[in-house]
Amino acid sequence: MTRVEIPDRSPFGLHNLPYGVFSVGGGAPRVGVRAGDTVVDLSVVLTGSDGDEAFAASSLNAFMAQGPDRWAAVRQRVHDALTADVPHEAVHPVSAVRLHLPIEVADYVDFYASEHHASNLGRLFRPDAEPLLPNWRHLPVGYHGRAGTVVVSGTDIVRPCGQRKAPDEDAPTFGPSRRLDIEAELGFVVGIGSEPGSRIAVDDVAAHVFGAVLVNDWSARDIQAWEYVPLGPHLGKSFATSISAWVVPLAALESARVPLPGQSPEPLEYLRGRDDHGLDVDILVEWNGEEVSRPPYREMYWSPGQMLAHMTVNGATARTGDLFASGTVSGPERAQRGAFIELTWGGREPLTVKGVERTFLLDGDEVALTASAPGPDGTRIGFGEVVGTVRAAR
Ligand code: MN
């Protein structure tokens, strides 16, 4: 038996306990919890009446489908186990494991919940019109993304090819995107879904959502700008969406609850909750190792509960493994913008990265997102990272 050492002030302390899927050597993937710089194998630690086959699995889906009572019981049991000795074979340094995509993604929806981001994109894409379209303050605008191309942090991103047509060109051409960008977002993972024809109320978010991940919604702005009218994003985004390897339980984000920044006009009744709230999550964007932005999630206009309520208000089912992301997180300040198209104002105001003027991503560039939120007693709750390196188009 051994004791898991958790460094003081670790963002992966006992108040966090995020879940992931890992393997060691060529072994089978299984479910683990991160504590400090250690991954603890739940298929070893939770046995007998505590355990079941959900932890000897290659995704969190079976565990997530067991529901909030089981999530709470397991979280307590893991907490207890880590304050005592655990079997030696359950403990691995995080540097010695391979981290896998933690969930089998069912459906993927991406929202557009930041007023600052939506306004900036409106100014860039439609310079002669009102920045926000008339529906924006009445409903959380979103689109259905591609679940099959959600990848785990560390996966290389191949530059997409497609049609692009600049405003000063007469006809589109085909080739590698010249305006490859990022979108720094939070994503929410559904554990318990809903029946066809039913809807999920804003205040029931905790009965359905298992946890949160950090998301980079890679975006080819030239492909997007040409294709998006009138049906929205398609190939400019579907080539890859990266998520963090760790799913932070919603229960770990209690201390991160903050009021929404204020909604006017008041949304329709189905978008109102008595207990609705935002989340105080600080995101950091690093480009080739240099900090370029700190997007604040607390500024988001629409809440996760409102997004889930809107997603199911027409009777569409939610399913175990559904991922719904917030849309780019941007704050009011320039250094709080979560996409390079905003940070460089459409490429017209380059950033200096490692001493070089930069606008969009070049082959070989690495982008790393990290995030943390307040936990109880002055602790921080870490989300880990979402890292990706851009590879040349094929
Ligand atoms: Mn997005």
Side-chain angles (χ1 to χ4, degrees), residues 138-140 199-202 267-273 305-306 309-311 313:
H138 293 277
L139 56 84
R199 56 181 78 152
I200 297 175
V202 172
L268 292 175
E269 197 277 333
Y270 80 91
L271 288 170
R272 287 184 231 148
Q306 290 175 317
H310 188 65
M311 206 169 84
V313 73

Side-chain angles (χ1 to χ4, degrees), residues 4-244:
V4 174
E5 297 293 337
I6 303 178
D8 275 352
R9 321 302 299 171
S10 170
F12 299 101
L14 293 175
H15 299 301
N16 189 350
L17 302 177
Y19 297 95
V21 171
F22 75 100
S23 61
V24 183
R30 75 287 307 273
V31 173
V33 152
R34 181 158 177 182
D37 300 318
T38 300
V39 180
V40 180
D41 186 340
L42 293 190
S43 73
V44 173
V45 169
L46 299 183
T47 54
S49 58
D50 287 329
D52 62 47
E53 291 176 356
F55 303 113
S58 59
S59 85
L60 295 172
N61 288 41
F63 173 45
M64 296 196 301
Q66 293 174 346
D69 291 347
R70 176 69 172 158
W71 307 339
V74 167
R75 183 167 167 78
Q76 184 61 51
R77 183 67 192 91
V78 171
H79 186 280
D80 294 346
L82 292 177
T83 50
D85 289 344
V86 294
H88 204 271
E89 65 270 26
V91 175
H92 306 276
V94 69
S95 58
V97 307
R98 179 177 167 208
L99 294 168
H100 299 262
L101 189 66
I103 58 170
E104 186 181 336
V105 182
D107 290 297
Y108 167 46
V109 169
D110 195 20
F111 284 95
Y112 197 48
S114 161
E115 181 175 359
H116 303 289
H117 172 71
S119 299
N120 286 335
L121 269 278
R123 288 186 190 100
L124 287 162
F125 276 61
R126 299 178 300 277
D128 302 322
E130 276 292 307
L132 288 182
L133 289 166
N135 60 1
W136 197 90
R137 289 176 184 279
H138 293 277
L139 56 84
V141 169
Y143 68 95
H144 283 89
R146 192 167 189 86
T149 50
V150 175
V151 297
V152 71
S153 174
T155 306
D156 283 350
I157 304 301
V158 176
R159 180 180 299 274
C161 290
Q163 287 196 27
R164 59 273 201 280
K165 190 188 93 60
D168 59 349
E169 292 173 330
D170 293 332
T173 56
F174 178 87
S177 171
R178 300 174 185 122
R179 288 163 73 90
L180 184 58
D181 195 359
I182 66 153
E183 294 194 333
E185 311 190 8
L186 277 194
F188 301 91
V189 180
V190 172
I192 295 292
S194 59
E195 294 299 313
S198 70
R199 56 181 78 152
I200 297 175
V202 172
D203 286 331
D204 288 344
V205 62
H208 292 271
V209 169
F210 175 79
V213 292
L214 197 51
V215 176
N216 186 347
D217 176 25
W218 304 91
S219 298
R221 300 301 181 192
D222 42 1
I223 298 171
Q224 180 187 357
W226 171 233
E227 75 175 358
Y228 89 105
V229 183
L231 288 185
H234 188 205
L235 305 179
K237 286 166 177 287
S238 62
F239 56 95
T241 306
S242 300
I243 67 171
S244 52

